[in-house]
């Protein structure tokens, strides 16, 4: 089979992976009933990292924990699904999809204003 692929492609001697249909790839990243996303970068990590409490750990330590959580989210393959899930649930605490509660609130308010403008007949 490798030889046949080499002959057909002509450019490479290494076998290439066959593309999978998008539906099978997306099925791997569906949330489980307990809202965990398979394939998430944070899987198995300490959840306290994503819920920093300035009153409990101090403002500087909480800021550092938030930055570490956001760094973990930055390269996550399910970041957008995590954020969408948190926005849908209007999650009041924690870091989800690389955004904290304040940033998610801002995003929701902007989306609401944009929808209001579009519904009023203005430009989106």
């Amino acid at each position: 089979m490798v030889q046949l692929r080499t002959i057909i492609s002509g450019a490479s001697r290494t076998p290439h992976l066959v593309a999978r249909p998008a539906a099978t790839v997306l099925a791997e990243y569906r949330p489980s009933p307990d809202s965990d996303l398979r394939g998430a970068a944070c899987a198995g990590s300490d959840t306290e990292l994503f819920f920093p409490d300035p009153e409990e750990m101090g403002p500087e330590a909480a800021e550092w924990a938030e930055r570490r959580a956001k760094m973990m989210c930055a390269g996550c393959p399910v970041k957008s699904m995590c954020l969408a899930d948190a926005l849908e649930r209007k999650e009041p605490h924690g870091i989800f999809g690389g955004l904290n509660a304040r940033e998610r609130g801002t995003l929701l308010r902007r989306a609401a204003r944009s929808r209001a403008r579009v519904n009023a007949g203005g430009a989106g």
Side-chain angles (χ1 to χ4, degrees), residues 101-120:
R102 183 179 31 81
E103 294 163 337
R104 289 191 307 273
T106 300
L107 193 62
L108 286 171
R109 285 188 296 279
R110 283 183 186 164
R113 281 195 301 265
S114 179
R115 277 193 307 274
R117 276 196 303 270
V118 169
N119 290 338

Side-chain angles (χ1 to χ4, degrees), residues 9-39:
S9 68
S12 175
R13 293 178 182 251
T14 58
H16 296 280
L17 297 175
V18 178
R20 297 186 310 176
T24 60
V25 173
L26 290 176
E28 293 177 7
Y29 297 121
R30 290 185 195 263
S32 63
D34 60 352
S35 297
D36 287 340
L37 289 168
R38 281 185 37 199

